[in-house]
Amino acid sequence: MRLANKVAIVTGAGRGIGKATALTFAREGAKVVVNDIDAKAAQQVATEIESMGRQVLTIKADVSQSKEVNRMIQSILQKFGRVDILVNNAGIICRGSTENLSEEEWDRVLSVNLKGAFNCCKAVIGVMKKQRAGKIVNISSIAGKMGDIASAPCYGASKAGIACLAKSLARELAPYGINVNAVAPHAIETEMSREWSNKKRKSIISSIPLGRLGQPSDVAEAVVFLASDSAKFITGEVLDVNGGCLMD
Ligand SMILES: NC(=O)c1ccc[n+]([C@@H]2O[C@H](COP(=O)([O-])OP(=O)(O)OC[C@H]3O[C@@H](n4cnc5c(N)ncnc54)[C@H](O)[C@@H]3O)[C@@H](O)[C@H]2O)c1
């Protein structure tokens, strides 16, 4: 097992990529903190993890709210006494052109996707520094590298931000033995991508050299790698999980 007894937080773990990551972490031996704003979904994931014989803590918290995040970290420390891994996965998308995008939508997407990751990093860094060990993985997106017109411009901007946040923190925290990386997925089959028409789905698949959409488990496996000791000499990296759609 690659993560035996590690305490791992996955934000937005109630469904999709976060859920797959939480379950994969549990399979790899981790004690998992399942965070989501959807308490019911988080509880369902926790029940699956418990049935695997692993310890789990479910915490309803909105990552965009620093008070809620700080409370979450306190509860984790009370139960497990440490934090080894943080996966900043919680994210939202919105559609539309720049001219139609409201200031409120811009703020909402940036608050969850970028400030949410900052809030969580800020809350765990002190603990990881004391431990002189820790792994942080931010879930970015191909949209943060290439831009995107399928989503509103705030989405790609937030995803570029979260990738750069990983690089800045990788530099800041390297002296403390903390690795910070990002994963940049594309075209993963989740609720977020379920609204695609068949036509769009086919056109996306035709742009992917591996000839299929990604599964949440494809991202989860990349995250486990970056969160494990196999990746101990990797920091500040943005790992593409996109079937070869972008090779940079
Ligand atoms: N699906 C894709 O193709 C794709 C591609 C690139 C990047 N991503 C990124 O991967 C991550 C997960 O995507 P997904 O497709 O699994 O999304 P999803 O919408 O299926 O799941 C997101 C989860 O985050 C939770 N969440 C939303 N706001 C939250 C908040 N403020 N605090 C805590 N939890 C919150 C939701 O309740 C939900 O359970 C997102 O950051 C997304 O931007 C997804």
Side-chain angles (χ1 to χ4, degrees), residues 230-246:
S230 307
K232 59 177 179 280
F233 199 52
I234 300 176
T235 200
E237 174 64 16
V238 181
L239 179 60
D240 289 326
V241 182
N242 62 26
C245 184
L246 170 69

Side-chain angles (χ1 to χ4, degrees), residues 11-19 35-38 41 59 61-65 88-93 111-113 116 139-143 155 158-159 162 183-193 196 214 216 219 241:
T11 68
R15 68 183 198 195
I17 292 169
K19 175 180 176 178
N35 156 262
D36 210 287
I37 42 170
D38 182 342
I59 300 184
D62 178 343
V63 294
S64 69
Q65 304 298 315
N88 288 306
N89 167 78
I92 55 173
I93 198 163
S111 268
V112 176
N113 295 7
I139 309 299
S140 178
S141 168
I142 197 172
Y155 181 73
S158 70
K159 292 296 171 180
I162 200 177
V183 170
H186 172 54
I188 310 299
E189 281 201 286
T190 67
E191 288 300 317
M192 204 176 254
S193 50
W196 295 337
V219 184
V241 182

